[in-house]
Amino acid sequence: MKYGIVIVSHSVKIADGVKDLISEAAPSLSITVAGGTDENAIGSSLEKIQKAFDENIGDEILAFYDLGSSKMNLEMFMEMTDKVVHKYDVALVEGAYTAATLAEIDSPLETIENSLKPLIIK
């Protein structure tokens, strides 16, 4: 499988909800999530991020996150993994949905990234 998607959110419910939404549009993609802290409170967890990456069977990972510490922990994990990871600073729901629908039809990475540009959060 060319691409997999990892969703990192401060909320278990948001992570699961985004996965539910994009799974409808991209049923063949590997989509894994890291939501909340280890105790399922609001926050982020490096361990959950690692588990989401370990469970994802994509050859390359398209990674999306919601807020500060999710980004920080995602970037920390990216330094520790050998997987090819593309992290996007875009609106979480819209970005993940856009990438998933394009990855589902085997669009090239350049097409996916060009489609994400209008969703970048600065």
Side-chain angles (χ1 to χ4, degrees):
M1 175 175 299
K2 177 70 174 165
Y3 296 115
I5 292 185
V6 171
I7 304 296
V8 181
S9 174
H10 277 63
S11 166
V12 174
K13 290 179 182 178
I14 289 174
D16 289 342
V18 172
K19 179 181 178 180
D20 289 347
L21 178 68
I22 66 176
S23 293
E24 288 290 317
S28 70
L29 288 187
S30 179
I31 304 167
T32 53
V33 300
T37 65
D38 293 332
E39 297 77 29
N40 292 326
I42 298 295
S44 64
S45 162
L46 187 58
E47 292 77 20
K48 282 189 172 186
I49 293 170
Q50 181 173 356
K51 184 175 185 241
F53 274 84
D54 289 346
E55 292 175 352
N56 199 298
I57 60 171
D59 298 326
E60 296 182 31
I61 303 297
L62 310 178
F64 299 88
Y65 66 91
D66 59 4
L67 300 169
S69 68
S70 291
K71 178 181 181 180
M72 180 187 69
N73 282 328
L74 176 58
E75 288 172 342
M76 200 177 330
F77 178 76
M78 288 171 63
E79 292 176 11
M80 303 182 314
T81 187
D82 292 333
K83 287 196 174 194
V84 176
V85 181
H86 307 277
K87 176 185 64 69
Y88 299 104
D89 302 320
V90 298
L92 175 62
V93 176
E94 295 86 344
Y97 188 86
T98 297
T101 57
L102 291 169
E104 177 71 16
I105 59 170
D106 295 323
S107 297
L109 184 62
E110 181 180 8
T111 300
I112 294 169
E113 290 184 339
N114 283 337
S115 296
L116 292 174
K117 284 180 182 175
L119 303 173
I120 291 174
I121 296 175
K122 296 180 183 182

